[in-house]
Amino acid sequence: MATSRQAEAASPWRAPILLAVLVVLFVLEGTMRNALFSGSWNTSLAILNMGLISAIMALGVNMQWGYAGLFNSGVVGFLALGGLAPVLISVAPVQGAWSAGGLRVLAALVVGLGTLGLAAIVWRRLPKRSRVLGLLAVLIVGFVAYRWLFDPAVNAIEANQSAQFGNLGGLGLPVLLSWPVGAAFAAAAAWGVGKVALGLRSDYLAIATLGIGEIIVAVLKNEEWLARGVKNVTGIPRPVPYEINLQRDPAFIERAESWGMSVAELSGIWVKLCYAGLFIVVLLLLILLAELSLKSPWGRMMRAIRDNEVAAEAMGKDVTGRHLQIFVIGCAVIGLAGAMMITQDGLMAPTQYNPLRYTFLIWVMVIVGGSGNNWGAALGAILIWFLWIKVEVWGPQLIGFLTLPLPDGSLKQHLLDSSAHMRFIAMGLILLLVLRFSPRGLVPEK
Amino acid sequence: MDILNALVAFLNFVFIPAAAYGAQLALGALGVTLIYGILRFSNFAHGDTMAFGAAMTIFATWALQAIGVSIYPLPTALLALPFGIAATALLALGTDRVVYRYYRQKKSDPIILVMASVGVMFIMNGLTRVLIGVDEIRFDDGARFVIDVRSFREWTGLTEGLALRTTQLITLVVAVLVVWALFWFLNRTRSGKAMRAYSDNEDLALLSGIDPERVVRMTWIIAAALATIAGALYGLDKAFKPFNYFQILLPIFAAAIVGGLGSPIGAIAGGFIVAFSEVAITYPWKKVAEYLGFDTGSAMLQLMSTEYKFAVSFVILIVVLLFRPTGLFRGKAY
C-alpha cells in the first residue's frame, strides 16, 4: 500500500531496467565461474524456476496488500495447502487404502464441517436464551460423531502397507490438473479465515492468518493418512520429461554431442527449461489477468476502498465483502504457486514449510518490488530470490574476507559459523530500508 | 473411586504445567498489550524480543557461572536477569529510535508499523541466531525439584506422584512479583499515570503536558523487561531454542486479544485462559477418569493430540473475534 499517492510519476523505464538487471545476473550465474557466481546453467535455471514460483506467490500477496491493504501473515499455510493438491490428485492410488477407510474419513470430514455449519445456523435461528445450550449441544454431539468416524478409519488407512504408504494416495490424474485444485484448496481455507477476521481492525487478519498458517503446516506434518506427514511423499509425477529417459534417448544424445555438452548436463538444463516455460506461461497469464482486472471498474473500486475505506463505504461499497473477495483470490494464487512448487520438487516434505522463508520472505519481495504493481512484485520476487540464494554463498565469503586480519581462534570460528544466519539480518535490513526510504518499491504503482 | 489420587494426577499433569505456562504467556501478552495500548500496533517482533532477551540472560548467566557466582538452590539466571533486561531495553530503544519513531511522527497506518515490526523481527531473529546459535540450550542450574515424585509418594502414601520443578515455582513467584510491580507503577506513579492517560486519549494527554516521547521510551523499556523475563522463564522451564519463540507468538497474541488488546488485566487473564485450555485439551484424561471410577476402555480421552496445541489458541482467538472482538475486558478495537 503506497502511502504517498501524490508522489511524482516514476520513470516508465524502471521495470525494463530491473528486468535487464535480472537477465544479466542470471547470465552471469550461468557463465562466469568465480567467487561470486557458480558458472553453471543448471544452478542458474534452478534459481530462476524457484524465482518464477516465488513471483507467483508475490503476485498473490500483492493482490491482498497492494490492491486492498490486507496483511496476510499465513502465506506458508496457503502455500502448503496448495502443495497438497499434487499429492491427492496425481499420485497413483494406494492399493486397499480406500476400502480400508477412505469413505469413512470422507464421512468424518463431512460431519465435521456439517457440525460447524449447523452450529452457525443454530446460533442465528434459535432464540437468545436457548442458543448457547443449542450451540454447545450441536458442537459436542458433532465432535463425538466426528471422532467416532475418524479415529478407526485413520488407524485402518495408516495400517495399510504402512512401511511404504500408509496414506490414502492420489487419484492418478495428470499433475497439471492439480494446479487449479491447489488454488481451490487455498481459496476454501482463505474464505473461512476471511469470513471471521475481516471487517475487524486490520491487525486481526494478520494474527488470524498467522494462526491458520501454523495449523495447516501442523496438519500436514501430523496427518499421515493424508500425505504421509513427515515421512514425505516422493515420486510425484511430472508434467515434463525425466532426465533419465532423456539420457537414454539416442536423438537427445546426438544433440548433446553436436552441441558439445555432456548428456547429463544438457538433460538437466532441458528439464529445467521445460519447467521454466510452463511457469512463465502461468506467470504471464496471471499478470495479464491481474492487470486487466485492475484497469476494470472492479479494480478502480478496489483502489478506492484501499485509499479511503470510509469514503468508499459512504458511496455504498461493501468494503468487507470486497476484502473477502480479494483475500480469497490472492490466497488462490498462492495455493497455485504451492502446487507448482511441489510439482517441480516431485516431493512433498512438510518440514520445509518455514514461515520465515515462505511468509515473510515473500513479503520482502512484494515490498521491495513495489506494492500495488504486478510487474514490480514479480520482478522483485525473482531479484530477492536470487539474492536470498546467493547471500548464502556470499555471506561466508564476506565474513571470511573481513575476518582475515583476525587471529585464528574461537571468535573468528564463531563468526564464520554464524555467517549463514546473516541473510535474515540482510533481508530485515532490506525490508526496513525500502519501507522507509522508498515505500513505493523499485517499480512503483502507476 | 479415589478422589485424592485423581486430584494429584490433575495437579501434576494439568494444573501446575498450565499455571507455569500461563504465567509465561501472561508476561508476554502484557508486553504486547502495552505496546498496543501506547504505540497502537501489534508487535510481531515481540517473540523475537523474548528470544533476544533470553539469549542475553544466558550470556550473563554463563559469565556469572564462570566467575563462580551461584545462588543455589535458585538458578543463576535469576541474578543474570537485570543484565538481560538492560541489553534488551537498549535494543528496543534503539529500534524505536531508528525504525518506529519515523512512522509515529508521520502518523502512518498501524499496518505499516506492523510491517516494520516484521522487518525488526527478521533482524532480531538473525541477531539471536548469530549470537547464540540455533541449538537447544539448557541453563537451569540449581535444584531441579521443590517436590519430587518419590518423596511425595513416601510422604503421602498415594500411588500417584506429584512433581513441582523449581523453575515452575520460580515462574509463578516472579510473575506475581512482576505483575504487582507493573500495576503499582501504572496506578501509583506519575509516569504510570501518564502512560495510562496517553493510552486512553493521546490528544488530551498531549494537551496536559505529557511528553509523548518519554511515555514511548518508558513503554519500550517496560515491554523489553517483560519480554526478557517471560523469555528467560520460558527458556528456564522448557529449554531455550530460538525458533520456539516465534511459535509462542500466536498464543501470546491470542492471550492479548482474548483479554482485550490494550488491557493489562485482560492480558493476564487471557494468558491463563489460553494456557489452561491448551493443556486441558491436549491432556489424555484417562488416568484421572479411572481414579474417579469411570471405565474408559481403550479410549485415551484426549480431545486433541499435543501437536495441535497451537490450534487451541487459534480456536479461542476465532471464538473471541466472532463473539466479542474487543475481548473479555473491553480493550481497544479501532
Side-chain angles (χ1 to χ4, degrees), chain B residues 22 25-26 29 251-260 263-277 316 328-329:
Chain B
L25 285 188
I252 283 180
F253 274 136
I257 291 178
V258 167
S263 154
I265 192 99
I268 298 167
F272 285 102
I273 289 173
V274 169
F276 272 90
S277 336
I316 297 175
L328 296 177
F329 290 80

Side-chain angles (χ1 to χ4, degrees), chain A residues 2 39 60 67 99-100 111 127 129 136 143 205 223 228 231 236 258 329 390 392:
Chain A
Y67 293 14
S99 55
V111 166
R129 258 170 292 139
L136 285 178
F143 183 75
L205 181 73
E223 298 300 317
R228 302 197 76 218
K231 293 179 188 163
I236 294 167
S258 70
I329 295 174
K390 294 312 284 184
E392 197 177 21

Side-chain angles (χ1 to χ4, degrees), chain A residues 187-200:
Chain A
W191 184 83
V193 184
K195 198 79 189 144
V196 177
L198 285 170
L200 301 166

Side-chain angles (χ1 to χ4, degrees), chain B residues 176-296:
Chain B
V176 168
L177 288 177
V178 166
V179 168
W180 173 79
L182 179 69
F183 277 81
W184 176 81
F185 173 79
L186 286 178
N187 293 321
R188 303 281 161 184
T189 62
R190 267 185 79 84
S191 312
K193 285 178 187 167
M195 270 176 72
R196 285 194 301 138
Y198 186 85
S199 158
D200 281 346
N201 189 332
E202 197 181 331
D203 297 328
L204 215 55
L206 292 181
L207 278 177
S208 17
I210 289 171
D211 175 9
E213 287 304 311
R214 186 160 171 269
V215 168
V216 168
R217 274 199 303 275
M218 272 185 319
T219 310
W220 279 114
I221 293 172
I222 295 173
L226 287 168
T228 308
I229 295 171
L233 290 176
Y234 185 75
L236 273 177
D237 196 20
K238 304 243 159 50
F240 174 83
K241 199 169 182 225
F243 189 66
N244 286 350
Y245 290 89
F246 177 77
Q247 294 203 312
I248 203 182
L249 198 58
L250 178 65
I252 283 180
F253 274 136
I257 291 178
V258 167
L261 271 174
S263 154
I265 192 99
I268 298 167
F272 285 102
I273 289 173
V274 169
F276 272 90
S277 336
E278 214 172 79
V279 177
I281 286 174
T282 53
Y283 172 68
W285 289 90
K286 182 182 171 70
K287 211 175 195 174
V288 176
E290 278 175 357
Y291 279 126
L292 289 176
F294 298 103
D295 182 27
T296 56

Side-chain angles (χ1 to χ4, degrees), chain A residues 46-106:
Chain A
I47 301 176
L48 175 67
N49 280 345
M50 198 52 219
L52 288 169
I53 293 177
S54 305
I56 293 175
M57 297 179 207
L59 271 185
V61 171
N62 184 41
M63 288 175 189
Q64 298 173 342
W65 173 251
Y67 293 14
L70 302 175
F71 187 176
N72 175 2
S73 57
V75 176
V76 65
F78 298 106
L79 193 74
L81 205 53
L84 187 60
V87 178
L88 293 184
I89 296 294
S90 67
V91 172
V94 174
Q95 281 287 310
W98 277 95
S99 55
L103 289 178
R104 199 167 169 156
V105 160
L106 277 188

Side-chain angles (χ1 to χ4, degrees), chain A residues 11-277:
Chain A
S11 155
W13 289 99
R14 284 197 176 198
I17 290 172
L18 183 53
L19 183 64
V21 169
L22 283 175
V23 169
V24 169
L25 279 176
F26 279 100
V27 169
L28 283 176
E29 176 70 25
T31 51
M32 303 274 285
R33 180 181 288 278
N34 54 27
L36 296 182
F37 299 105
S38 68
S40 147
W41 277 107
N42 258 316
T43 318
S44 178
L45 284 172
I47 301 176
L48 175 67
N49 280 345
M50 198 52 219
L52 288 169
I53 293 177
S54 305
I56 293 175
M57 297 179 207
L59 271 185
V61 171
N62 184 41
M63 288 175 189
Q64 298 173 342
W65 173 251
Y67 293 14
L70 302 175
F71 187 176
N72 175 2
S73 57
V75 176
V76 65
F78 298 106
L79 193 74
L81 205 53
L84 187 60
V87 178
L88 293 184
I89 296 294
S90 67
V91 172
V94 174
Q95 281 287 310
W98 277 95
S99 55
L103 289 178
R104 199 167 169 156
V105 160
L106 277 188
L109 295 181
V110 169
V111 166
L113 289 176
T115 306
L116 291 181
L118 191 64
I121 293 173
V122 163
W123 181 259
R124 253 179 258 136
R125 293 287 167 82
L126 283 189
K128 256 205 159 155
R129 258 170 292 139
S130 56
R131 65 182 190 179
V132 173
L133 276 180
L135 186 73
L136 285 178
V138 167
L139 288 179
I140 291 170
V141 171
F143 183 75
V144 171
Y146 164 78
R147 287 291 294 260
W148 179 77
L149 283 167
F150 188 74
D151 290 1
V154 164
N155 288 337
I157 293 173
E158 286 178 2
N160 174 43
Q161 305 180 58
S162 59
Q164 205 186 346
F165 299 109
N167 64 330
L168 262 184
L171 300 174
L173 297 171
V175 71
L176 286 183
L177 197 67
S178 72
W179 293 7
V181 175
F185 282 175
W191 184 83
V193 184
K195 198 79 189 144
V196 177
L198 285 170
L200 301 166
R201 52 165 292 126
S202 49
D203 311 29
Y204 282 2
L205 181 73
I207 295 169
T209 44
L210 183 74
I212 194 77
E214 300 241 328
I215 288 171
I216 292 173
V217 174
V219 166
L220 286 182
K221 276 184 188 162
N222 295 302
E223 298 300 317
E224 290 183 2
W225 59 273
L226 190 62
R228 302 197 76 218
V230 287
K231 293 179 188 163
N232 302 348
V233 174
T234 52
I236 294 167
R238 280 183 178 183
V240 299
Y242 285 85
E243 284 93 344
I244 194 85
N245 295 343
L246 285 177
Q247 287 162 14
R248 291 203 195 110
D249 177 11
F252 189 81
I253 298 175
E254 202 174 300
R255 196 180 312 158
E257 276 164 4
S258 70
W259 289 356
M261 292 168 92
S262 81
V263 181
E265 194 188 349
L266 186 65
S267 65
I269 292 175
W270 185 259
V271 168
K272 289 192 181 75
L273 278 177
C274 290
Y275 271 123

